[in-house]
């Protein structure tokens, strides 16, 4: 006959084994869930970090574009003009974009006593790199339009070239790089040699070398 005490002992051992297995299973499932949660959290953190990085990059690009735009506006706010001839203080002056010839003349100290007011249009708008020349009374003049390298390059209203064989000294001085002395020398050479046969003949004029010629070439003609 089976001993009842032995049977009871076996049952207790069996229940204990089942309990241990159940506890192990629960712990295993718990560790798996914790691992998945940590993995998900890490992935979420990485995604958030990437989004923050992308947003920061976009903001940097936007700021860069805004800064470039502001710099462009600052460049266009002022222009430089060259005021020559019968003014009290000839020279280079920086004026606000949209200013008139009258503004540049005033910055140059105003018209000199011997200025020929008919030689300029005080109401004309200025552009960057413009040359404002005021002739003296008695000087051979025609109404001089303010010359600008930028307008010549863009083909605007002052795009016609100055004819070396017919231009007056005043007209020659509307070209950037030609002052009163060079204009006089050009006219003197023209009269002494029967005119310019080619633009290259400018090199025969005192003070005009190869580099100066190349700068003047696009603004002059002999036609």
């Amino acid at each position: 006959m089976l001993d009842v005490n032995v049977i009871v002992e076996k049952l207790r051992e069996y229940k204990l084994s089942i309990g241990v297995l159940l506890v192990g299973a629960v712990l295993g499932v718990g560790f798996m869930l914790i691992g998945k949660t940590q993995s998900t959290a890490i992935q979420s953190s990485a995604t958030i970090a990437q989004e923050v990085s992308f947003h920061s990059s976009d903001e940097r690009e936007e700021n860069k574009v805004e800064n470039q735009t502001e710099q462009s506006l600052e460049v266009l706010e002022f222009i430089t003009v060259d005021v020559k001839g019968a003014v009290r203080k000839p020279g280079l002056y920086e004026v606000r974009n949209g200013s008139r010839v009258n503004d540049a003349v005033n910055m140059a100290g105003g018209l000199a006593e011997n200025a020929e007011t008919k030689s300029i249009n005080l109401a004309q708008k200025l552009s960057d790199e413009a040359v404002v020349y005021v002739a003296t009374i008695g000087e051979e003049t025609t109404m001089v339009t303010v010359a600008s390298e930028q307008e010549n390059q863009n083909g605007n209203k002052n795009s016609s070239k100055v004819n070396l064989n017919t231009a007056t000294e005043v007209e020659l001085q509307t070209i950037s790089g030609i002052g009163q002395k060079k204009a006089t020398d050009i006219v003197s050479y023209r009269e002494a040699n029967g005119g310019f046969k080619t633009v290259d003949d400018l090199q025969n004029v005192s003070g005009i070398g190869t580099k100066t010629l190349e700068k003047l070439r696009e603004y002059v003609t002999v036609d």
Side-chain angles (χ1 to χ4, degrees):
M1 292 181 65
L2 296 173
D3 189 342
V4 175
N5 292 330
V6 173
I7 294 173
V8 172
E9 187 65 27
K10 293 292 184 182
L11 289 173
R12 287 178 178 174
E13 292 177 357
Y14 179 72
K15 289 180 179 179
L16 182 60
S17 298
I18 292 175
V20 172
L21 290 173
L22 288 174
V23 172
V26 171
L27 291 174
V29 171
F31 285 132
M32 289 178 63
L33 291 175
I34 291 172
K36 288 183 178 180
T37 301
Q38 290 177 342
S39 177
T40 302
I42 292 172
Q43 291 178 353
S44 298
S45 298
T47 302
I48 292 172
Q50 289 178 349
E51 291 179 351
V52 170
S53 177
F54 289 149
H55 286 309
S56 298
S57 178
D58 291 341
E59 289 176 357
R60 284 195 297 269
E61 288 298 323
E62 290 177 359
N63 291 335
K64 183 178 179 181
V65 171
E66 289 178 358
N67 290 336
Q68 290 176 343
T69 302
E70 290 176 357
Q71 289 174 358
S72 297
L73 291 175
E74 289 176 0
V75 170
L76 294 175
E77 186 177 357
F78 291 95
I79 58 175
T80 302
V81 296
D82 186 5
V83 186
K84 299 180 177 181
V87 292
R88 299 184 186 280
K89 298 178 181 179
L92 294 176
Y93 291 93
E94 193 175 71
V95 297
R96 287 192 175 276
N97 198 354
S99 297
R100 310 277 178 171
V101 170
N102 186 62
D103 298 319
V105 169
N106 286 336
M107 291 190 72
L111 296 172
E113 294 180 358
N114 61 341
E116 176 55 82
T117 57
K118 294 180 181 179
S119 67
I120 56 171
N121 178 3
L122 293 174
Q124 185 175 356
K125 279 189 176 182
L126 294 167
S127 58
D128 194 33
E129 301 180 7
V131 178
V132 178
Y133 179 77
V134 182
T136 58
I137 296 175
E139 185 175 353
E140 183 182 353
T141 64
T142 57
M143 177 61 74
V144 178
T145 303
V146 176
S148 167
E149 290 184 11
Q150 183 177 1
E151 289 179 349
N152 286 333
Q153 292 169 357
N154 293 337
N156 292 335
K157 61 183 180 181
N158 293 331
S159 60
S160 58
K161 295 183 177 182
V162 175
N163 192 324
L164 294 173
N165 288 324
T166 60
T168 64
E169 289 187 20
V170 174
E171 291 168 335
L172 288 169
Q173 289 181 70
T174 63
I175 302 171
S176 180
I178 295 182
Q180 184 173 3
K181 184 177 185 308
K182 283 184 181 178
T184 300
D185 291 341
I186 289 172
V187 172
S188 297
Y189 176 88
R190 181 177 72 198
E191 293 174 349
N193 296 275
F196 292 86
K197 296 179 175 57
T198 67
V199 173
D200 291 336
D201 289 344
L202 273 175
Q203 292 185 93
N204 298 325
V205 177
S206 176
I208 298 180
T210 303
K211 291 183 179 180
T212 302
L213 172 63
E214 292 307 314
K215 291 180 181 179
L216 299 176
R217 187 183 295 278
E218 62 181 306
Y219 307 119
V220 297
T221 182
V222 294
D223 297 333

